[in-house]
Amino acid sequence: MNRINLLTSVSSFAARYVPLLRDRHLLTKNNHLRLRYVVGGSAVFAVLLGMGLGHVASTTPAKQLAHIEPAAGLTAPAILAQDLRRDPLAKESASLTAQNEATAPLQPKVLQVKVGKGETLSEVLEDAGVSLEEAGNVVKAVSRHINPRQIRAGQKLDLRLDPDKSGSGLALTQASFAIDPLRTLRVERGNNGDLQSRMDEKPITARRQAARVIIDGSLYMSADKAGVPDRITANVIRLFSYTVDFQRDVKNGDKFEVLFDSYLTPEGELVKTGDIVFARIVLGGKEYPLYRFKTKDGTEDYFTPDGRSIRKSGGLMKTPVAFGRLTSGFGMRNHPVLGYTKMHKGVDFAAPIGTPVYAAADGVIEKAGRFSSYGNYIRIRHSSKLGTAYGHLSRYASGIRPGTRVKQGQVIGYVGNTGRSTGPHLHYEVLVNGVQVNPRSVKMTVDNRLKGDDLQRFREHIRRLGQEYVQNVPSVTVARNASN
Ligand SMILES: [Zn+2]
């Protein structure tokens, strides 16, 4: 540890006062003390006492003194004289440290600091020993690239301070911090003495990634073990929510396969995931493949092998909630709250509070508000005849209000326990001409098939994607043998 040069003579100390303070600041950074301003001599003493009692058992009063920058109108020697006089320990420590390091030259400092909760960039820099003015210059340099207010707690900064021209103090020469896995913001002192800043960006490369997941227990955990990022798993579930009743149909031993885009740093670190281009779920030996395809008119969508769009089907999602478990179907049941047999006019999906709820099909929000025993309730009109309703929500997605147009699969709200409800779940209803019907009885007859040129291209497209999957997936030969 680098110890301070604390001179016993008050007058010679005065000349070194400011660099000395900065030096100490660095040494005690780990204690996270932030005392930069004091209003007068007596306040200084009070602060020192408080620190000595409560805070830094391992540091001497002389060290603590170094945290305090002189307040306006109060000179440094005045603070020192006062405190050495009032605190005998400080005096002793001062003379001890003076002996071995009074003449040691200032060394450059390389350090990493972390932004604390509620701290500004300027405050962090000042804590690290950068002067107020210099910290201001760094903030200015940083703001050419990002809004310094967006720097969050936990952000790490690498700093380098070198002896300044006079040799009596340290000045910032370099500061850098990784904004995200791709971008590093660097501030450096140029030859002219000014701080210059630049954003270094790593190139990202796109890669097709394939994975095969055998479901064993939780679908998410199984996918995680197979190296599938959560976002991709969530999107696989959402894609198949149009055709698969997830919690009812998926059993252990079932599997899904997925081919998706991922974006990587040169070091191979995943930056973000892109689109799923192919996914296949195998339930009880039955395969449901889906392919992403762009039609002639420019719309991208997912299609079954026979060229049917899953989205434009006009059909309803079977599970309009992310990973919900069907707990109560449509029909007569004993009402869990009221205790008598009652017609259940919808289906219930148990899911934790906050689980996203999807619009079961394209439509317009008809109602989004409290509605008697339904609690927070949304009703969507999909056509002049068909509607869906969602009850017991904890809250609505932003922008969801009567008149809002929604897309199938769009998040409209979140699972809750509002209204007459015994636990967090989604109560989901399908309405035909305003009357609740069993969702399973609703059949859609919309022509959503690819035709002509599109269909030709689609057939070639799915052949290519199939090959690409085989080339990319680990141990696919085994998988194919196993499923044959
Ligand atoms: Zn219900």
Side-chain angles (χ1 to χ4, degrees):
M1 262 285 245
N2 207 348
R3 304 211 60 187
I4 61 165
N5 305 319
L6 187 51
L7 305 179
T8 42
S9 149
V10 166
S11 57
S12 58
F13 172 77
R16 306 202 56 152
Y17 185 75
V18 174
L20 176 74
L21 281 181
R22 288 180 176 170
D23 214 1
R24 297 310 302 164
H25 237 124
L26 294 179
L27 286 177
T28 53
K29 168 63 188 160
N30 290 344
N31 294 315
H32 285 291
L33 287 171
R34 287 252 317 283
L35 289 163
R36 274 191 301 281
Y37 302 105
V38 289
V39 291
S42 57
V44 172
F45 185 56
V47 165
L48 279 174
L49 263 186
M51 290 164 61
L53 289 174
H55 256 300
V56 237
S58 62
T59 54
T60 64
K63 280 181 180 174
Q64 293 161 10
L65 171 66
H67 291 285
I68 297 169
E69 289 175 7
L74 186 69
T75 61
I79 296 176
L80 184 78
Q82 198 158 25
D83 291 300
L84 288 182
R85 197 169 56 240
R86 290 191 190 182
D87 189 338
L89 279 178
K91 202 171 208 165
E92 186 190 339
S93 158
S95 59
L96 278 177
T97 45
Q99 285 166 10
N100 42 18
E101 285 173 50
T103 54
L106 284 169
Q107 296 295 316
K109 281 192 186 302
V110 175
L111 71 161
Q112 188 174 68
V113 294
K114 213 194 238 178
V115 177
K117 212 173 160 194
E119 270 187 318
T120 66
L121 176 59
S122 175
E123 284 167 346
V124 176
L125 290 167
E126 285 176 69
D127 277 357
V130 178
S131 74
L132 183 64
E133 190 194 351
E134 195 80 318
N137 291 338
V138 174
V139 171
K140 215 195 284 171
V142 164
S143 21
R144 278 179 222 132
H145 303 276
I146 58 160
N147 180 354
R149 281 161 202 253
Q150 288 169 346
I151 294 173
R152 304 241 173 119
Q155 171 76 55
K156 289 176 185 154
L157 286 88
D158 290 299
L159 305 174
R160 182 186 167 97
L161 294 95
D162 284 296
D164 61 16
K165 284 195 205 90
S166 72
S168 61
L170 290 171
L172 183 86
T173 46
Q174 273 178 17
S176 70
F177 47 114
I179 306 291
D180 53 44
L182 280 185
R183 295 179 304 157
T184 302
L185 184 53
R186 296 185 201 282
V187 179
E188 267 165 18
R189 191 169 302 285
N191 292 333
N192 62 357
D194 286 351
L195 287 175
Q196 290 159 357
S197 60
R198 64 167 200 275
M199 186 73 89
D200 283 352
E201 280 189 50
K202 290 182 194 170
I204 54 167
T205 45
R207 201 182 73 184
R208 278 276 150 90
Q209 218 176 314
R212 179 170 169 274
V213 178
I214 297 177
I215 296 154
D216 177 19
S218 149
L219 192 145
Y220 264 88
M221 300 268 276
S222 311
D224 204 44
K225 272 188 221 152
V228 181
D230 279 358
R231 184 181 161 267
I232 294 294
T233 307
N235 284 341
V236 165
I237 292 174
R238 197 192 317 211
L239 278 185
F240 286 103
S241 297
Y242 301 96
T243 42
V244 173
D245 190 338
F246 249 85
Q247 295 303 325
R248 212 184 62 137
D249 299 342
V250 179
K251 308 266 187 314
N252 279 353
D254 286 339
K255 62 189 176 209
F256 77 81
E257 298 161 310
V258 62
L259 183 66
F260 59 98
D261 289 324
S262 57
Y263 299 91
L264 308 162
T265 65
E267 293 82 34
E269 196 185 338
L270 180 71
V271 179
K272 60 169 184 170
T273 56
D275 290 323
I276 292 170
V277 293
F278 158 70
R280 174 164 49 202
I281 192 157
V282 184
L283 304 174
K286 197 166 169 6
E287 294 191 2
Y288 302 86
L290 291 174
Y291 302 87
R292 189 179 174 88
F293 179 67
K294 194 177 192 172
T295 59
K296 242 186 333 199
D297 65 14
T299 51
E300 281 195 273
D301 205 348
Y302 291 89
F303 295 87
T304 56
D306 61 354
R308 279 178 207 276
S309 154
I310 55 159
R311 224 176 283 263
K312 286 192 194 145
S313 64
L316 301 169
M317 289 171 83
K318 286 192 176 174
T319 312
V321 58
F323 27 91
R325 184 166 51 87
L326 185 91
T327 47
S328 179
F330 188 89
M332 297 303 283
R333 68 164 181 185
N334 288 318
H335 195 280
V337 175
L338 302 179
Y340 54 83
T341 305
K342 193 174 182 288
M343 179 69 183
H344 186 225
K345 293 178 173 176
V347 291
D348 290 346
F349 296 95
I353 286 182
T355 304
V357 171
Y358 306 133
D362 290 5
V364 177
I365 302 288
E366 210 168 36
K367 185 173 168 61
R370 284 200 80 90
F371 185 43
S372 70
S373 61
Y374 290 95
N376 293 332
Y377 170 88
I378 293 176
R379 191 167 61 233
I380 305 176
R381 193 179 57 240
H382 304 292
S383 69
S384 56
K385 285 170 68 175
L386 184 69
T388 52
Y390 312 78
H392 311 310
L393 304 174
S394 56
R395 59 192 181 91
Y396 310 98
S398 70
I400 297 299
R401 58 184 69 90
T404 307
R405 210 158 260 291
V406 292
K407 288 264 168 216
Q408 188 174 47
Q410 182 180 334
V411 176
I412 52 170
Y414 301 90
V415 170
N417 192 25
T418 57
R420 195 186 291 152
S421 169
T422 50
H425 76 284
L426 170 70
H427 171 88
Y428 170 63
E429 291 180 355
V430 175
L431 301 109
V432 173
N433 294 324
V435 178
Q436 292 94 340
V437 300
N438 188 340
R440 294 186 190 284
S441 72
V442 179
K443 294 271 184 287
M444 291 294 147
T445 50
V446 177
D447 186 13
N448 61 336
R449 290 181 82 152
L450 292 170
K451 290 177 199 74
D453 201 31
D454 272 339
L455 188 60
Q456 288 300 320
R457 287 195 308 115
F458 177 69
R459 287 192 176 128
E460 172 55 21
H461 180 71
I462 67 176
R463 201 181 56 77
R464 268 201 317 274
L465 283 182
Q467 283 173 350
E468 218 175 313
Y469 176 76
V470 170
Q471 282 159 11
N472 281 284
V473 76
S475 68
V476 72
T477 327
V478 178
R480 288 169 70 85
N481 286 345
S483 63
N484 283 345

PDB file of all heavy atoms in Angstrom, residues 293-296 303-308 449-464:
ATOM      1  N   PHE A 293     -40.749 -17.443 -43.331  1.00  0.00           N
ATOM      2  CA  PHE A 293     -40.680 -17.224 -44.777  1.00  0.00           C
ATOM      3  C   PHE A 293     -41.207 -15.835 -45.113  1.00  0.00           C
ATOM      4  O   PHE A 293     -42.163 -15.358 -44.507  1.00  0.00           O
ATOM      5  CB  PHE A 293     -41.525 -18.302 -45.478  1.00  0.00           C
ATOM      6  CG  PHE A 293     -41.563 -18.181 -46.969  1.00  0.00           C
ATOM      7  CD1 PHE A 293     -40.408 -18.395 -47.730  1.00  0.00           C
ATOM      8  CD2 PHE A 293     -42.751 -17.853 -47.619  1.00  0.00           C
ATOM      9  CE1 PHE A 293     -40.441 -18.284 -49.110  1.00  0.00           C
ATOM     10  CE2 PHE A 293     -42.798 -17.739 -49.009  1.00  0.00           C
ATOM     11  CZ  PHE A 293     -41.645 -17.958 -49.749  1.00  0.00           C
ATOM     12  N   LYS A 294     -40.539 -15.226 -46.117  1.00  0.00           N
ATOM     13  CA  LYS A 294     -40.962 -13.897 -46.558  1.00  0.00           C
ATOM     14  C   LYS A 294     -41.707 -14.038 -47.885  1.00  0.00           C
ATOM     15  O   LYS A 294     -41.160 -14.558 -48.856  1.00  0.00           O
ATOM     16  CB  LYS A 294     -39.722 -13.019 -46.748  1.00  0.00           C
ATOM     17  CG  LYS A 294     -40.011 -11.547 -46.867  1.00  0.00           C
ATOM     18  CD  LYS A 294     -38.686 -10.807 -46.966  1.00  0.00           C
ATOM     19  CE  LYS A 294     -38.836  -9.317 -46.802  1.00  0.00           C
ATOM     20  NZ  LYS A 294     -37.520  -8.683 -46.727  1.00  0.00           N
ATOM     21  N   THR A 295     -42.924 -13.583 -47.920  1.00  0.00           N
ATOM     22  CA  THR A 295     -43.722 -13.728 -49.144  1.00  0.00           C
ATOM     23  C   THR A 295     -43.391 -12.604 -50.121  1.00  0.00           C
ATOM     24  O   THR A 295     -42.687 -11.650 -49.781  1.00  0.00           O
ATOM     25  CB  THR A 295     -45.237 -13.671 -48.822  1.00  0.00           C
ATOM     26  OG1 THR A 295     -45.511 -12.411 -48.189  1.00  0.00           O
ATOM     27  CG2 THR A 295     -45.637 -14.794 -47.891  1.00  0.00           C
ATOM     28  N   LYS A 296     -43.930 -12.731 -51.336  1.00  0.00           N
ATOM     29  CA  LYS A 296     -43.672 -11.753 -52.399  1.00  0.00           C
ATOM     30  C   LYS A 296     -44.036 -10.331 -51.967  1.00  0.00           C
ATOM     31  O   LYS A 296     -43.356  -9.374 -52.293  1.00  0.00           O
ATOM     32  CB  LYS A 296     -44.498 -12.119 -53.639  1.00  0.00           C
ATOM     33  CG  LYS A 296     -43.645 -12.428 -54.828  1.00  0.00           C
ATOM     34  CD  LYS A 296     -44.479 -12.644 -56.104  1.00  0.00           C
ATOM     35  CE  LYS A 296     -45.891 -13.139 -55.859  1.00  0.00           C
ATOM     36  NZ  LYS A 296     -46.504 -13.753 -57.044  1.00  0.00           N
ATOM     37  N   PHE A 303     -44.833 -20.537 -41.335  1.00  0.00           N
ATOM     38  CA  PHE A 303     -45.717 -21.377 -42.113  1.00  0.00           C
ATOM     39  C   PHE A 303     -45.497 -22.850 -41.798  1.00  0.00           C
ATOM     40  O   PHE A 303     -44.368 -23.263 -41.500  1.00  0.00           O
ATOM     41  CB  PHE A 303     -45.465 -21.162 -43.609  1.00  0.00           C
ATOM     42  CG  PHE A 303     -45.807 -19.778 -44.080  1.00  0.00           C
ATOM     43  CD1 PHE A 303     -44.867 -18.752 -43.995  1.00  0.00           C
ATOM     44  CD2 PHE A 303     -47.064 -19.491 -44.599  1.00  0.00           C
ATOM     45  CE1 PHE A 303     -45.181 -17.468 -44.420  1.00  0.00           C
ATOM     46  CE2 PHE A 303     -47.378 -18.203 -45.032  1.00  0.00           C
ATOM     47  CZ  PHE A 303     -46.440 -17.186 -44.943  1.00  0.00           C
ATOM     48  N   THR A 304     -46.569 -23.599 -41.877  1.00  0.00           N
ATOM     49  CA  THR A 304     -46.471 -25.053 -41.763  1.00  0.00           C
ATOM     50  C   THR A 304     -45.922 -25.585 -43.097  1.00  0.00           C
ATOM     51  O   THR A 304     -45.942 -24.854 -44.095  1.00  0.00           O
ATOM     52  CB  THR A 304     -47.861 -25.653 -41.467  1.00  0.00           C
ATOM     53  OG1 THR A 304     -48.752 -25.233 -42.504  1.00  0.00           O
ATOM     54  CG2 THR A 304     -48.388 -25.173 -40.125  1.00  0.00           C
ATOM     55  N   PRO A 305     -45.446 -26.859 -43.130  1.00  0.00           N
ATOM     56  CA  PRO A 305     -44.837 -27.366 -44.370  1.00  0.00           C
ATOM     57  C   PRO A 305     -45.764 -27.292 -45.585  1.00  0.00           C
ATOM     58  O   PRO A 305     -45.302 -27.199 -46.716  1.00  0.00           O
ATOM     59  CB  PRO A 305     -44.515 -28.825 -44.034  1.00  0.00           C
ATOM     60  CG  PRO A 305     -44.404 -28.862 -42.557  1.00  0.00           C
ATOM     61  CD  PRO A 305     -45.371 -27.839 -42.042  1.00  0.00           C
ATOM     62  N   ASP A 306     -47.067 -27.324 -45.371  1.00  0.00           N
ATOM     63  CA  ASP A 306     -47.979 -27.238 -46.518  1.00  0.00           C
ATOM     64  C   ASP A 306     -48.294 -25.786 -46.887  1.00  0.00           C
ATOM     65  O   ASP A 306     -49.170 -25.519 -47.702  1.00  0.00           O
ATOM     66  CB  ASP A 306     -49.262 -28.051 -46.269  1.00  0.00           C
ATOM     67  CG  ASP A 306     -50.041 -27.559 -45.060  1.00  0.00           C
ATOM     68  OD1 ASP A 306     -49.522 -26.664 -44.340  1.00  0.00           O
ATOM     69  OD2 ASP A 306     -51.159 -28.048 -44.813  1.00  0.00           O
ATOM     70  N   GLY A 307     -47.564 -24.849 -46.266  1.00  0.00           N
ATOM     71  CA  GLY A 307     -47.683 -23.452 -46.689  1.00  0.00           C
ATOM     72  C   GLY A 307     -48.803 -22.672 -46.026  1.00  0.00           C
ATOM     73  O   GLY A 307     -49.248 -21.649 -46.535  1.00  0.00           O
ATOM     74  N   ARG A 308     -49.260 -23.121 -44.869  1.00  0.00           N
ATOM     75  CA  ARG A 308     -50.287 -22.362 -44.145  1.00  0.00           C
ATOM     76  C   ARG A 308     -49.622 -21.439 -43.127  1.00  0.00           C
ATOM     77  O   ARG A 308     -48.781 -21.872 -42.359  1.00  0.00           O
ATOM     78  CB  ARG A 308     -51.207 -23.305 -43.370  1.00  0.00           C
ATOM     79  CG  ARG A 308     -52.274 -23.936 -44.201  1.00  0.00           C
ATOM     80  CD  ARG A 308     -53.094 -24.897 -43.323  1.00  0.00           C
ATOM     81  NE  ARG A 308     -53.665 -25.947 -44.142  1.00  0.00           N
ATOM     82  CZ  ARG A 308     -54.810 -25.809 -44.804  1.00  0.00           C
ATOM     83  NH1 ARG A 308     -55.511 -24.696 -44.691  1.00  0.00           N
ATOM     84  NH2 ARG A 308     -55.275 -26.795 -45.550  1.00  0.00           N
ATOM     85  N   ARG A 449     -53.259 -19.998 -47.169  1.00  0.00           N
ATOM     86  CA  ARG A 449     -52.180 -20.792 -47.767  1.00  0.00           C
ATOM     87  C   ARG A 449     -51.388 -19.982 -48.775  1.00  0.00           C
ATOM     88  O   ARG A 449     -51.921 -19.118 -49.471  1.00  0.00           O
ATOM     89  CB  ARG A 449     -52.767 -22.016 -48.465  1.00  0.00           C
ATOM     90  CG  ARG A 449     -53.308 -23.026 -47.497  1.00  0.00           C
ATOM     91  CD  ARG A 449     -53.845 -24.229 -48.219  1.00  0.00           C
ATOM     92  NE  ARG A 449     -52.765 -25.148 -48.552  1.00  0.00           N
ATOM     93  CZ  ARG A 449     -52.934 -26.458 -48.680  1.00  0.00           C
ATOM     94  NH1 ARG A 449     -54.123 -26.985 -48.524  1.00  0.00           N
ATOM     95  NH2 ARG A 449     -51.928 -27.243 -48.972  1.00  0.00           N
ATOM     96  N   LEU A 450     -50.099 -20.323 -48.837  1.00  0.00           N
ATOM     97  CA  LEU A 450     -49.254 -19.728 -49.868  1.00  0.00           C
ATOM     98  C   LEU A 450     -49.684 -20.304 -51.214  1.00  0.00           C
ATOM     99  O   LEU A 450     -50.101 -21.457 -51.304  1.00  0.00           O
ATOM    100  CB  LEU A 450     -47.779 -20.087 -49.617  1.00  0.00           C
ATOM    101  CG  LEU A 450     -47.135 -19.470 -48.376  1.00  0.00           C
ATOM    102  CD1 LEU A 450     -45.768 -20.099 -48.133  1.00  0.00           C
ATOM    103  CD2 LEU A 450     -47.008 -17.961 -48.518  1.00  0.00           C
ATOM    104  N   LYS A 451     -49.584 -19.470 -52.254  1.00  0.00           N
ATOM    105  CA  LYS A 451     -50.001 -19.926 -53.578  1.00  0.00           C
ATOM    106  C   LYS A 451     -48.940 -19.616 -54.628  1.00  0.00           C
ATOM    107  O   LYS A 451     -48.084 -18.749 -54.402  1.00  0.00           O
ATOM    108  CB  LYS A 451     -51.294 -19.218 -53.987  1.00  0.00           C
ATOM    109  CG  LYS A 451     -52.500 -19.654 -53.202  1.00  0.00           C
ATOM    110  CD  LYS A 451     -53.729 -18.852 -53.629  1.00  0.00           C
ATOM    111  CE  LYS A 451     -54.824 -18.931 -52.576  1.00  0.00           C
ATOM    112  NZ  LYS A 451     -54.522 -18.117 -51.384  1.00  0.00           N
ATOM    113  N   GLY A 452     -49.015 -20.310 -55.740  1.00  0.00           N
ATOM    114  CA  GLY A 452     -48.225 -20.009 -56.943  1.00  0.00           C
ATOM    115  C   GLY A 452     -46.748 -19.872 -56.671  1.00  0.00           C
ATOM    116  O   GLY A 452     -46.106 -20.770 -56.105  1.00  0.00           O
ATOM    117  N   ASP A 453     -46.243 -18.716 -57.053  1.00  0.00           N
ATOM    118  CA  ASP A 453     -44.827 -18.428 -56.954  1.00  0.00           C
ATOM    119  C   ASP A 453     -44.321 -18.545 -55.515  1.00  0.00           C
ATOM    120  O   ASP A 453     -43.272 -19.140 -55.261  1.00  0.00           O
ATOM    121  CB  ASP A 453     -44.610 -16.994 -57.461  1.00  0.00           C
ATOM    122  CG  ASP A 453     -43.175 -16.792 -57.885  1.00  0.00           C
ATOM    123  OD1 ASP A 453     -42.560 -17.779 -58.350  1.00  0.00           O
ATOM    124  OD2 ASP A 453     -42.673 -15.669 -57.711  1.00  0.00           O
ATOM    125  N   ASP A 454     -45.071 -17.977 -54.572  1.00  0.00           N
ATOM    126  CA  ASP A 454     -44.692 -18.030 -53.162  1.00  0.00           C
ATOM    127  C   ASP A 454     -44.541 -19.476 -52.697  1.00  0.00           C
ATOM    128  O   ASP A 454     -43.596 -19.817 -52.001  1.00  0.00           O
ATOM    129  CB  ASP A 454     -45.741 -17.314 -52.286  1.00  0.00           C
ATOM    130  CG  ASP A 454     -45.443 -15.821 -52.154  1.00  0.00           C
ATOM    131  OD1 ASP A 454     -44.282 -15.431 -52.367  1.00  0.00           O
ATOM    132  OD2 ASP A 454     -46.375 -15.064 -51.829  1.00  0.00           O
ATOM    133  N   LEU A 455     -45.490 -20.306 -53.086  1.00  0.00           N
ATOM    134  CA  LEU A 455     -45.470 -21.698 -52.659  1.00  0.00           C
ATOM    135  C   LEU A 455     -44.252 -22.424 -53.232  1.00  0.00           C
ATOM    136  O   LEU A 455     -43.593 -23.194 -52.530  1.00  0.00           O
ATOM    137  CB  LEU A 455     -46.765 -22.399 -53.080  1.00  0.00           C
ATOM    138  CG  LEU A 455     -46.961 -23.808 -52.526  1.00  0.00           C
ATOM    139  CD1 LEU A 455     -46.981 -23.818 -51.006  1.00  0.00           C
ATOM    140  CD2 LEU A 455     -48.247 -24.424 -53.073  1.00  0.00           C
ATOM    141  N   GLN A 456     -43.927 -22.121 -54.495  1.00  0.00           N
ATOM    142  CA  GLN A 456     -42.732 -22.706 -55.123  1.00  0.00           C
ATOM    143  C   GLN A 456     -41.482 -22.343 -54.333  1.00  0.00           C
ATOM    144  O   GLN A 456     -40.673 -23.198 -53.992  1.00  0.00           O
ATOM    145  CB  GLN A 456     -42.577 -22.182 -56.577  1.00  0.00           C
ATOM    146  CG  GLN A 456     -43.586 -22.755 -57.549  1.00  0.00           C
ATOM    147  CD  GLN A 456     -43.478 -24.269 -57.646  1.00  0.00           C
ATOM    148  OE1 GLN A 456     -42.389 -24.829 -57.649  1.00  0.00           O
ATOM    149  NE2 GLN A 456     -44.630 -24.943 -57.677  1.00  0.00           N
ATOM    150  N   ARG A 457     -41.339 -21.067 -54.080  1.00  0.00           N
ATOM    151  CA  ARG A 457     -40.153 -20.585 -53.355  1.00  0.00           C
ATOM    152  C   ARG A 457     -40.113 -21.148 -51.942  1.00  0.00           C
ATOM    153  O   ARG A 457     -39.065 -21.463 -51.415  1.00  0.00           O
ATOM    154  CB  ARG A 457     -40.133 -19.050 -53.316  1.00  0.00           C
ATOM    155  CG  ARG A 457     -39.775 -18.394 -54.646  1.00  0.00           C
ATOM    156  CD  ARG A 457     -39.414 -16.920 -54.473  1.00  0.00           C
ATOM    157  NE  ARG A 457     -40.441 -16.183 -53.728  1.00  0.00           N
ATOM    158  CZ  ARG A 457     -40.248 -15.635 -52.542  1.00  0.00           C
ATOM    159  NH1 ARG A 457     -39.068 -15.685 -51.961  1.00  0.00           N
ATOM    160  NH2 ARG A 457     -41.240 -15.000 -51.924  1.00  0.00           N
ATOM    161  N   PHE A 458     -41.301 -21.260 -51.340  1.00  0.00           N
ATOM    162  CA  PHE A 458     -41.375 -21.763 -49.965  1.00  0.00           C
ATOM    163  C   PHE A 458     -40.866 -23.203 -49.893  1.00  0.00           C
ATOM    164  O   PHE A 458     -40.124 -23.568 -48.985  1.00  0.00           O
ATOM    165  CB  PHE A 458     -42.816 -21.671 -49.450  1.00  0.00           C
ATOM    166  CG  PHE A 458     -43.000 -22.236 -48.072  1.00  0.00           C
ATOM    167  CD1 PHE A 458     -42.437 -21.596 -46.969  1.00  0.00           C
ATOM    168  CD2 PHE A 458     -43.721 -23.408 -47.866  1.00  0.00           C
ATOM    169  CE1 PHE A 458     -42.601 -22.123 -45.681  1.00  0.00           C
ATOM    170  CE2 PHE A 458     -43.887 -23.932 -46.587  1.00  0.00           C
ATOM    171  CZ  PHE A 458     -43.321 -23.283 -45.499  1.00  0.00           C
ATOM    172  N   ARG A 459     -41.222 -24.019 -50.889  1.00  0.00           N
ATOM    173  CA  ARG A 459     -40.792 -25.424 -50.875  1.00  0.00           C
ATOM    174  C   ARG A 459     -39.284 -25.527 -50.947  1.00  0.00           C
ATOM    175  O   ARG A 459     -38.658 -26.314 -50.224  1.00  0.00           O
ATOM    176  CB  ARG A 459     -41.441 -26.192 -52.034  1.00  0.00           C
ATOM    177  CG  ARG A 459     -42.910 -26.419 -51.765  1.00  0.00           C
ATOM    178  CD  ARG A 459     -43.529 -27.419 -52.734  1.00  0.00           C
ATOM    179  NE  ARG A 459     -44.913 -27.659 -52.361  1.00  0.00           N
ATOM    180  CZ  ARG A 459     -45.927 -27.562 -53.193  1.00  0.00           C
ATOM    181  NH1 ARG A 459     -45.704 -27.248 -54.468  1.00  0.00           N
ATOM    182  NH2 ARG A 459     -47.153 -27.783 -52.782  1.00  0.00           N
ATOM    183  N   GLU A 460     -38.676 -24.686 -51.792  1.00  0.00           N
ATOM    184  CA  GLU A 460     -37.214 -24.650 -51.911  1.00  0.00           C
ATOM    185  C   GLU A 460     -36.595 -24.155 -50.584  1.00  0.00           C
ATOM    186  O   GLU A 460     -35.601 -24.688 -50.100  1.00  0.00           O
ATOM    187  CB  GLU A 460     -36.831 -23.731 -53.079  1.00  0.00           C
ATOM    188  CG  GLU A 460     -35.344 -23.435 -53.226  1.00  0.00           C
ATOM    189  CD  GLU A 460     -34.486 -24.710 -53.330  1.00  0.00           C
ATOM    190  OE1 GLU A 460     -35.025 -25.779 -53.691  1.00  0.00           O
ATOM    191  OE2 GLU A 460     -33.296 -24.610 -53.031  1.00  0.00           O
ATOM    192  N   HIS A 461     -37.257 -23.138 -50.008  1.00  0.00           N
ATOM    193  CA  HIS A 461     -36.805 -22.524 -48.756  1.00  0.00           C
ATOM    194  C   HIS A 461     -36.766 -23.543 -47.612  1.00  0.00           C
ATOM    195  O   HIS A 461     -35.783 -23.628 -46.878  1.00  0.00           O
ATOM    196  CB  HIS A 461     -37.745 -21.362 -48.424  1.00  0.00           C
ATOM    197  CG  HIS A 461     -37.430 -20.629 -47.165  1.00  0.00           C
ATOM    198  ND1 HIS A 461     -36.328 -19.813 -47.044  1.00  0.00           N
ATOM    199  CD2 HIS A 461     -38.065 -20.587 -45.959  1.00  0.00           C
ATOM    200  CE1 HIS A 461     -36.310 -19.307 -45.814  1.00  0.00           C
ATOM    201  NE2 HIS A 461     -37.352 -19.754 -45.147  1.00  0.00           N
ATOM    202  N   ILE A 462     -37.813 -24.337 -47.488  1.00  0.00           N
ATOM    203  CA  ILE A 462     -37.846 -25.269 -46.346  1.00  0.00           C
ATOM    204  C   ILE A 462     -36.836 -26.408 -46.553  1.00  0.00           C
ATOM    205  O   ILE A 462     -36.299 -26.933 -45.592  1.00  0.00           O
ATOM    206  CB  ILE A 462     -39.260 -25.826 -46.030  1.00  0.00           C
ATOM    207  CG1 ILE A 462     -39.800 -26.736 -47.119  1.00  0.00           C
ATOM    208  CG2 ILE A 462     -40.224 -24.719 -45.768  1.00  0.00           C
ATOM    209  CD1 ILE A 462     -41.166 -27.346 -46.731  1.00  0.00           C
ATOM    210  N   ARG A 463     -36.543 -26.733 -47.818  1.00  0.00           N
ATOM    211  CA  ARG A 463     -35.525 -27.755 -48.088  1.00  0.00           C
ATOM    212  C   ARG A 463     -34.159 -27.238 -47.607  1.00  0.00           C
ATOM    213  O   ARG A 463     -33.406 -27.934 -46.941  1.00  0.00           O
ATOM    214  CB  ARG A 463     -35.493 -28.051 -49.588  1.00  0.00           C
ATOM    215  CG  ARG A 463     -34.879 -29.401 -49.948  1.00  0.00           C
ATOM    216  CD  ARG A 463     -34.852 -29.611 -51.460  1.00  0.00           C
ATOM    217  NE  ARG A 463     -34.138 -28.527 -52.154  1.00  0.00           N
ATOM    218  CZ  ARG A 463     -32.811 -28.414 -52.186  1.00  0.00           C
ATOM    219  NH1 ARG A 463     -32.060 -29.302 -51.572  1.00  0.00           N
ATOM    220  NH2 ARG A 463     -32.250 -27.395 -52.809  1.00  0.00           N
ATOM    221  N   ARG A 464     -33.887 -25.952 -47.919  1.00  0.00           N
ATOM    222  CA  ARG A 464     -32.603 -25.348 -47.511  1.00  0.00           C
ATOM    223  C   ARG A 464     -32.480 -25.246 -45.991  1.00  0.00           C
ATOM    224  O   ARG A 464     -31.452 -25.561 -45.414  1.00  0.00           O
ATOM    225  CB  ARG A 464     -32.462 -23.939 -48.113  1.00  0.00           C
ATOM    226  CG  ARG A 464     -31.756 -23.896 -49.460  1.00  0.00           C
ATOM    227  CD  ARG A 464     -31.204 -22.499 -49.724  1.00  0.00           C
ATOM    228  NE  ARG A 464     -32.132 -21.426 -49.376  1.00  0.00           N
ATOM    229  CZ  ARG A 464     -33.067 -20.959 -50.201  1.00  0.00           C
ATOM    230  NH1 ARG A 464     -33.206 -21.468 -51.405  1.00  0.00           N
ATOM    231  NH2 ARG A 464     -33.865 -19.995 -49.806  1.00  0.00           N
TER     232      ARG A 464
END
